[in-house]
Amino acid sequence: MLLKTFGWSFAITAAGLALAGVLWGWQGLAIVAILSVLEISLSFDNAVINAGILRKMNAFWQKIFLTVGILIAVFGMRLVFPIVIVAITAKLGPLEAVDLAINDKARYEELVTAAHPAIAAFGGMFLLMIFLDFIFEDRDIKWLAWLEKPLARLGKLETLSTVVALVVLLITATTLATAVPVHDGVGTVDKATTVLLAGIGGLVTYLIVGGISGFFEDRLEQEEEEAEEEAEKASAKGGPSVVGLAGKAAFFLFLYLEVIDASFSFDGVIGAFAITNDIFVMALGLGIGAMYIRSLTVFLVRKGTLDDYVYLEHGAHYAIGALAVILLITIKHEISEVVTGLIGVVLIGLSFWSSVVRNRKEAGPGDGSGAKAEVSSGV
């Protein structure tokens, strides 16, 4: 199971490190290895979130996630995306941006860093909406009941997540974005308008992609219920429609996964410039890390880990909320990637430990029924 799921990751790691050693020597090999670890530490919560969505897909779409999805993640987000950002913000042509990335790495890094407020606002708002929609939803199983129960009651107000996100964006734009330090640390610049526009873009993207995927997912559930009824009557009328609709639902969930992955990758791409400004070294190192996150996602799905450790999704969503806040804060203040990674690891670790405690209590003496009633709190 382990080799089957992580086999490609192991193979790509070996090939990637060998390539780095050949092209850039021992120093390049070390940098690629460090970037891989950085990506894994920053995106572990991403794997848990992705697993919660991927388990709704069939084996075919899980393979698409590992093949086409990883190509988008590595070449799209870790290589093409920084170049596109430079081209847009610096008003350069694509070829000029590529030439700059190859031949003037210092200037390229400066332009990417200058675009950070817009990137952080977009990604921060998208991730914040994921967290808010989760925390305002009334769930049978609650991790921090003292917090989640009152928030679930507030969540009965429609559009509350959007309102809260817009308020956060407004506060960010009028405080953190009004005096952003420039790249060389001398002087500041007003990025309020940029942050507002980028943040609204992230919010709109979430509403569109999440709304479409949710719509098809609901339709799929309805069709599956109808198909079951038809099957009981020995009729096959509902079969074809379910297959077609499942494809649509899986496709939009796949797009949703890719946008989530993109949002998670923002801090990794920006943070990687603290280690190297060579886009090819960066893409290779972050790409290897992204491959492990994909494999870990599939592993969690196939092992049923989220069903066995029910608070993991809670911990991952709290980590998402923390990452969203951190991204917005980094518009003005620098925060170490070590802090970002540790917050996610600690929150997921606590949720895992709480799940283990819960499982032990349910398996304890006098609990022969095995029923999984709501647990008020795991911590």
Side-chain angles (χ1 to χ4, degrees):
M1 176 66 173
L2 187 66
L3 184 60
K4 181 180 178 181
T5 306
F6 287 90
W8 278 106
S9 297
F10 295 150
I12 290 175
T13 299
L17 292 177
L19 180 62
V22 171
L23 295 179
W24 303 296
W26 287 106
Q27 182 179 3
L29 188 151
I31 292 175
V32 168
I34 292 171
L35 288 173
S36 301
V37 174
L38 171 69
E39 178 70 11
I40 294 171
S41 64
L42 289 175
S43 301
F44 186 82
D45 45 356
N46 189 12
V48 179
I49 297 300
N50 287 350
I53 300 172
L54 194 66
R55 61 179 173 175
K56 301 175 184 178
M57 299 180 180
N58 58 25
F60 170 77
W61 279 100
Q62 290 180 10
K63 290 180 181 178
I64 293 294
F65 178 73
L66 271 177
T67 53
V68 177
I70 195 62
L71 290 176
I72 296 174
V74 175
F75 294 103
M77 288 309 304
R78 276 74 179 181
L79 185 62
V80 177
F81 170 74
I83 294 176
V84 171
I85 287 296
V86 168
I88 293 174
T89 56
K91 298 180 181 180
L92 300 173
L95 294 180
E96 291 178 282
V98 171
D99 180 70
L100 192 69
I102 296 174
N103 299 315
D104 192 352
K105 296 181 177 63
R107 176 60 178 163
Y108 173 76
E109 178 184 354
E110 181 181 343
L111 291 174
V112 173
T113 305
H116 175 67
I119 298 171
F122 183 96
M125 291 304 294
F126 188 92
L127 294 177
L128 182 62
M129 283 297 298
I130 295 176
F131 169 70
L132 292 175
D133 275 352
F134 179 88
I135 202 67
F136 285 139
E137 182 179 347
D138 191 8
R139 300 177 179 276
D140 294 333
I141 296 176
K142 296 178 174 61
W143 181 31
L144 305 178
W146 57 271
L147 175 64
E148 295 172 13
K149 283 184 177 180
L151 289 178
R153 287 194 290 268
L154 288 175
K156 294 179 181 179
L157 299 173
E158 292 187 10
T159 71
L160 180 61
S161 297
T162 305
V163 172
V164 172
L166 286 172
V167 170
V168 171
L169 177 61
L170 183 62
I171 293 173
T172 301
T174 54
T175 55
L176 298 176
T178 54
V180 179
V182 296
H183 178 69
D184 57 8
V186 179
T188 60
V189 63
D190 191 337
K191 291 281 187 177
T193 302
T194 299
V195 167
L196 275 175
L197 292 175
I200 291 173
L203 178 61
V204 170
T205 301
Y206 173 84
L207 294 175
I208 292 175
V209 179
I212 292 176
S213 62
F215 168 76
F216 280 108
E217 188 179 350
D218 292 340
R219 286 283 303 276
L220 175 60
E221 291 177 357
Q222 294 176 7
E223 291 290 339
E224 286 176 342
E225 292 176 0
E226 293 175 5
E228 289 176 1
E229 293 176 1
E230 292 294 330
E232 291 176 358
K233 298 176 182 178
S235 172
K237 293 181 180 180
S241 64
V242 174
V243 174
L245 193 57
K248 292 179 184 178
F251 173 72
F252 282 104
L253 281 175
F254 173 75
L255 291 182
Y256 183 53
L257 276 173
E258 292 306 313
V259 177
I260 290 177
D261 180 76
S263 299
F264 271 98
S265 69
F266 290 153
D267 60 330
V269 171
I270 298 299
F273 278 103
I275 301 173
T276 179
N277 56 12
D278 189 312
I279 60 170
F280 299 109
V281 175
M282 188 185 304
L284 184 58
L286 296 180
I288 291 174
M291 188 66 192
Y292 277 98
I293 295 301
R294 295 293 168 119
S295 297
L296 179 59
T297 298
V298 174
F299 180 80
L300 292 175
V301 172
R302 292 176 179 172
K303 290 288 289 184
T305 305
L306 299 185
D307 294 326
D308 295 335
Y309 302 97
V310 295
Y311 296 134
L312 272 180
E313 283 192 88
H314 294 74
H317 278 89
Y318 281 109
I320 282 181
L323 177 57
V325 173
I326 288 172
L327 276 173
L328 295 176
I329 292 175
T330 58
I331 291 173
K332 185 174 183 177
H333 304 287
E334 185 176 347
I335 297 179
S336 171
E337 290 75 25
V338 175
V339 175
T340 305
L342 282 178
I343 289 176
V345 170
V346 168
L347 286 170
I348 292 176
L350 287 174
S351 64
F352 176 80
W353 175 77
S354 298
S355 300
V356 172
V357 172
R358 173 186 187 272
N359 293 342
R360 287 177 178 172
K361 288 181 179 178
E362 289 198 343
D367 187 16
S369 63
K372 293 187 177 182
E374 176 181 333
V375 176
S376 296
S377 177
V379 175

